[in-house]
Amino acid sequence: METIVFSLLNGIIYGLLLFMLSSGLTLIFSMMGILNFAHASFYMLGAYFAYSIGSVTGFWVALFLAPVLVGVAGAAVERFGLRRLHAEGHVAELLFTFGLAYIIEEIVKIVWGKIAVPYKVPAALDFPLFELFGSQYPAYRIFMLVVSLAMLFALWYLLKRTRIGLIIQAALTHPNMVAHLGHNVQRIFMLVFAAGCALAGLAGVIGGNYLVTEPSMAFTIGPIVFVVVVVGGMGSLEGAFIASLLIGIMQTFAISVDATFSDLFGWLGLSASSELGGISIPSLAPTLPYLLLVLMLMFRPRGLMGAREF
Amino acid sequence: MNQQGTVLDTVSDLGPSRRAKFTRRVLPFIIMAVLLIVIPMLGPSRTALSLLNAIGINIVFALSFNILLGQTGLLSFGHAVYFGLGGYTAMHAMNWIEYADGGFWGSYPMFALPLVGFAGGAFAGALIGWPSCRRAGIPFSMISLGIAELVAATGLIFVSFFGGEEGITGDRMNGVEMFGLNLGQVHQVYWFIAFWTFVGTVAMYAFTRTPLGRLTQAVRDNPQRVEFVGYDPQQVRYLAFIASGGFAGLAGGMSAVNYEIFTPEALSLAPSGLVILMAYIGGIRYFAGPILGAILLTYMQTNLSDFSEAWLLYLGLLFIAMVLFAPGGLAGVVIDVTNRLGKPGAVQQFVKGLVAVATGMIAFFGVVILIEIAVRLTNGHGEVFQPFGIGLPSTSLMSWAIGVCLVAIGVFGLKFTTKQVGER
């Protein structure tokens, strides 16, 4: 019972973090057809910016300033890089963002060093909030939960209840019509790209000190975010939400299960001493998202909630 | 009847002449063979030879990748999977040869080990390819990424095949000798690598000339139309995928013999990324492009990393610059320049081009200065960057100003000159 509750809680928090990353990616992807390979690099930039700004001004200023800076960087990337490549097709854009991910990682290594920086949880939130089954639960994780849910609500409100959201939704499916109505679609694209990057930056700010802030963090989480987008379905924020939670919970549960293949499939005659039987479930946890991705693309290519195959 | 004959005659005249066929399809390979034979006569050092061996492996690997990206239009993020699986198969075969008691492996020459790698890579391609090749474009790239992560993770789980983190090792000086080579010394390995590089390159070029090779290009450009004509694009992609996996496995087999060790790192995302850079920087639209890219990047990898900590950053910048400004890669630039040389006003254009290159170099120097002083500022070794004996201390504002100024002059100049070249 204890493990289940804790895994569920941690899984939801991890899943919400994934959603914060993937929501921006999904929006950008469905709007411009660009699968931004460097999206997780903006997440990393968010964490590092927050570390640097936070060491001067404290965490709370960084919480607002770092995502804005990341958003500005994203807008610049769209304006001066991706826009030039739009006519070349999606593969060229994918290659561009792939190269960008390399460059951002190297720049981070030069500016902040090759090892992890001591980006810590702010002292104001560094205390156990409540006690459950005799173990303490850190307040910062609940803070992450609150920030993620606030972001989720804000995004939902912006997209579904405001005029801006209406135009963005229209530009998703009918960019030419929106342009004919007098909206600057290129600028909408740039703003969505910037907003998506800023969301990734925010995820970096609150996730960097929860996980670890190091130059390889982008390449660790980046592919998982792709998995979320593909599993959730093209252009579907609801799908991305479900997929994020699914993967978050699945991974935390797999880590906490203390079993091997032989325990699970012993009734098939798999012995614990054989190589296959000796594989433990926690060691498989990192591969689960990719397994899900491959299965999904093979059997249901439009994803959980996607309206069309992509 | 007579009229039909003349129509056919004119049609056949449209094809390349025998001479053009020879200079375009045969001569480059003769030059390549001559180069491969002449190089060891120049007496290269052991380091140079091992660099050449690494280049040969990467040439085959990058060319095999280009069967997918350049020819079929499939961007794979996990091509090292086939390189690695082929290499692992070859590595196991190497050990089977060593401990063989007669039988098939007892009479199998070590020299032909890359063929085992080819079989391994093609088999992996045949297994993984079918679900991957259903769609081109982004879904294909995503599946390749997922599979690459999966295989890289299994590489650490299944110790009996992949050997855990230490990998598996072997000894190449076993089995039947071929061409009198026992593969002991590095110059003997050179002949082995040169042979298989040549064979691989010719075979892959021959593949592009087959009807299947032609169809892959059609599938890249217009899959709907291919389907309309009566071919199944998925099948064409699948066959190209198997061929590409096979040649990647061939490169893996060459690597197994050259290094005598294979670790799960060979399957990971890093070499998969590097092969994308190699093929693209060289030029994916031309057959010879990946060869240029493989030579340049392997050279950079071994030599530039001694000069600068930030060599990967330079590589990334080069790649981005290529994607943005020269999608044809190095090969495209070379062909563009040679095409323009014969045209009227070539001298004028050439001068303008030189000016553009010069201003580009100014910007490049500025970038180098900025990167290098930044590296020295943060790595804490306290060195001073000294290009041409001029000391540029990282802490002085002057060095930063010089760097920024050079970049500004270069970028501004480049904008001005490229405008003129474009206007002609």
Side-chain angles (χ1 to χ4, degrees):
Chain A
M1 186 64 204
E2 188 186 334
T3 7
I4 292 175
V5 170
F6 273 104
S7 296
L8 205 61
L9 217 56
N10 288 339
I12 288 173
I13 289 168
Y14 184 55
L16 283 172
L17 193 71
L18 281 180
F19 176 67
M20 211 184 290
L21 271 161
S22 51
S23 54
L25 192 64
T26 306
L27 273 183
I28 294 167
F29 182 36
S30 46
M31 202 169 207
M32 306 192 252
I34 299 170
L35 198 57
N36 182 9
F37 209 95
H39 198 71
S41 306
F42 289 104
Y43 154 83
M44 172 162 74
L45 279 183
Y48 273 101
F49 283 170
Y51 165 70
S52 286
I53 298 170
S55 60
V56 180
T57 62
F59 178 76
W60 302 104
V61 178
L63 181 64
F64 291 96
L65 208 54
V68 172
L69 282 179
V70 176
V72 170
V77 165
E78 202 282 332
R79 177 67 189 81
F80 299 107
L82 285 171
R83 198 177 286 185
R84 309 177 57 125
L85 284 171
H86 202 64
E88 303 266 341
H90 294 329
V91 169
E93 291 166 335
L94 192 57
L95 282 168
F96 174 81
T97 55
F98 174 72
L100 193 69
Y102 257 80
I103 289 184
I104 292 179
E105 182 176 336
E106 289 303 314
I107 290 178
V108 162
K109 274 185 196 165
I110 289 177
V111 176
W112 284 283
K114 286 174 186 161
I115 50 167
V117 293
Y119 177 34
K120 292 251 168 53
V121 171
L125 288 169
D126 199 8
F127 62 91
L129 191 67
F130 54 82
E131 207 166 283
L132 214 61
F133 304 110
S135 324
Q136 292 168 336
Y137 205 79
Y140 189 71
R141 293 198 194 170
I142 298 300
F143 169 74
M144 284 173 74
L145 191 72
V146 171
V147 172
S148 309
L149 289 175
M151 190 277 314
L152 186 65
F153 177 75
L155 193 66
W156 172 82
Y157 188 81
L158 182 79
L159 284 176
K160 303 280 179 188
R161 289 285 179 275
T162 64
R163 201 178 146 69
I164 303 168
L166 206 64
I167 296 166
I168 290 176
Q169 280 193 52
L172 276 170
T173 46
H174 300 86
N176 289 332
M177 193 63 218
V178 174
H180 283 309
L181 288 172
H183 298 287
N184 188 344
V185 175
Q186 292 240 305
R187 210 174 66 201
I188 298 175
F189 279 4
M190 189 173 84
L191 289 177
V192 170
F193 196 89
C197 293
L199 279 181
L202 179 64
V205 176
I206 63 167
N209 45 10
Y210 170 62
L211 300 164
V212 63
T213 304
E214 58 177 0
S216 64
M217 65 194 279
F219 270 94
T220 344
I221 208 162
I224 299 179
V225 181
F226 286 142
V227 175
V228 170
V229 171
V230 174
V231 170
M234 151 128 179
S236 164
L237 276 176
E238 295 88 347
F241 182 67
I242 295 171
S244 308
L245 287 182
L246 182 72
I247 288 173
I249 292 172
M250 201 171 72
Q251 268 198 305
T252 32
F253 263 96
I255 290 171
S256 61
V257 173
D258 184 23
T260 60
F261 262 33
S262 63
D263 298 336
L264 285 182
F265 301 105
W267 50 277
L268 283 173
L270 195 67
S271 78
S273 54
S274 70
E275 184 167 20
L276 195 65
I279 296 169
S280 68
I281 303 297
S283 76
L284 281 180
T287 67
L288 286 178
Y290 308 110
L291 205 60
L292 190 66
L293 169 86
V294 172
L295 291 177
M296 194 57 120
L297 282 168
M298 277 160 69
F299 296 112
R300 194 181 157 88
R302 64 194 177 91
L304 286 175
M305 313 271 283
R308 58 193 146 127
E309 267 190 36
F310 76 107
Chain B
M1 192 66 202
N2 199 8
Q3 209 176 356
Q4 208 178 17
T6 47
V7 168
L8 280 177
D9 281 347
T10 30
V11 167
S12 69
D13 284 348
L14 286 174
S17 66
R18 281 181 147 222
R19 217 184 122 198
K21 274 186 189 169
F22 178 77
T23 48
R24 297 195 58 169
R25 294 177 195 166
V26 182
L27 193 63
F29 291 105
I30 296 178
I31 295 175
M32 182 181 170
V34 170
L35 271 179
L36 288 173
I37 293 171
V38 167
I39 285 171
M41 292 178 185
L42 303 173
S45 63
R46 289 177 58 90
T47 9
L49 274 176
S50 51
L51 174 65
L52 285 168
N53 289 347
I55 287 177
I57 294 166
N58 279 340
I59 285 177
V60 177
F61 187 32
L63 281 173
S64 78
F65 175 75
N66 208 36
I67 293 180
L68 287 183
L69 181 57
Q71 254 197 290
T72 324
L74 301 170
L75 171 57
S76 164
F77 284 114
H79 200 54
V81 166
Y82 311 98
F83 175 82
L85 290 177
Y88 263 109
T89 318
M91 210 66 218
H92 282 291
M94 188 187 276
N95 287 326
W96 292 332
I97 292 174
E98 188 175 350
Y99 301 111
D101 231 358
F104 176 70
W105 293 113
S107 57
Y108 194 86
M110 192 61 79
F111 194 88
L113 205 60
L115 288 179
V116 178
F118 186 94
F123 180 67
L127 271 186
I128 301 171
W130 188 247
S132 322
C133 291
R134 233 168 57 80
R135 303 287 302 271
I138 303 239
F140 175 86
S141 301
M142 284 305 97
I143 299 186
S144 73
L145 185 71
I147 287 172
E149 290 273 5
L150 265 183
V151 174
T154 24
L156 291 170
I157 295 174
F158 287 98
V159 180
S160 62
F161 187 75
F162 296 104
E165 270 179 40
E166 304 98 61
I168 57 171
T169 51
D171 182 5
R172 64 184 172 221
M173 289 172 67
N174 285 303
V176 184
E177 281 180 22
M178 245 172 105
F179 304 117
L181 293 170
N182 66 6
L183 299 174
Q185 296 288 319
V186 72
H187 64 266
Q188 297 220 353
V189 179
Y190 171 83
W191 288 115
F192 163 83
I193 297 278
F195 176 83
W196 284 109
T197 307
F198 186 73
V199 169
T201 310
V202 170
M204 277 186 266
Y205 183 72
F207 178 76
T208 66
R209 307 289 312 166
T210 59
L212 175 63
R214 289 296 183 211
L215 260 179
T216 57
Q217 292 174 11
V219 166
R220 172 194 66 195
D221 294 335
N222 198 337
Q224 245 171 347
R225 200 159 161 186
V226 169
E227 212 166 351
F228 190 73
V229 172
Y231 294 99
D232 181 1
Q234 186 183 1
Q235 218 158 36
V236 175
R237 284 189 204 110
Y238 181 52
L239 291 174
F241 195 86
I242 295 175
S244 165
F247 284 110
L250 184 82
M254 291 160 68
S255 168
V257 171
N258 188 33
Y259 297 110
E260 297 180 299
I261 182 166
F262 244 90
T263 60
E265 225 180 88
L267 303 158
S268 69
L269 285 184
S272 295
L274 198 66
V275 78
I276 297 179
L277 299 189
M278 278 197 264
Y280 200 89
I281 289 174
I284 56 165
R285 293 178 193 175
Y286 306 92
F287 181 79
I291 302 181
L292 292 180
I295 295 173
L296 179 76
L297 260 72
T298 319
Y299 182 80
M300 278 174 78
Q301 197 178 14
T302 40
N303 288 352
L304 203 61
S305 50
D306 293 344
F307 284 114
S308 173
E309 284 179 47
W311 80 275
L312 268 172
L313 180 57
Y314 293 114
L315 197 59
L317 288 172
L318 177 67
F319 177 70
I320 291 262
M322 284 289 181
V323 173
L324 281 175
F325 304 111
L330 289 175
V333 172
V334 170
I335 285 168
D336 193 39
V337 169
T338 44
N339 277 350
R340 285 185 187 205
L341 279 182
K343 303 257 167 68
V347 180
Q348 222 178 346
Q349 286 242 334
F350 189 67
V351 173
K352 275 179 185 166
L354 274 186
V355 175
V357 170
T359 42
M361 286 307 276
I362 294 177
F364 175 69
F365 274 127
V367 172
V368 170
I369 288 175
L370 286 179
I371 292 176
E372 291 303 321
I373 54 181
V375 167
R376 279 161 182 72
L377 185 68
T378 52
N379 69 4
H381 297 325
E383 311 163 74
V384 172
F385 180 49
Q386 290 181 314
F388 312 115
I390 311 162
L392 291 172
S394 304
T395 41
S396 96
L397 210 59
M398 192 63 196
S399 341
W400 291 89
I402 291 172
V404 172
C405 279
L406 284 179
V407 173
I409 293 169
V411 169
F412 188 73
L414 213 53
K415 249 190 174 157
F416 188 67
T417 47
T418 46
K419 213 170 165 188
Q420 282 189 327
V421 172
E423 280 167 2
R424 298 194 195 164

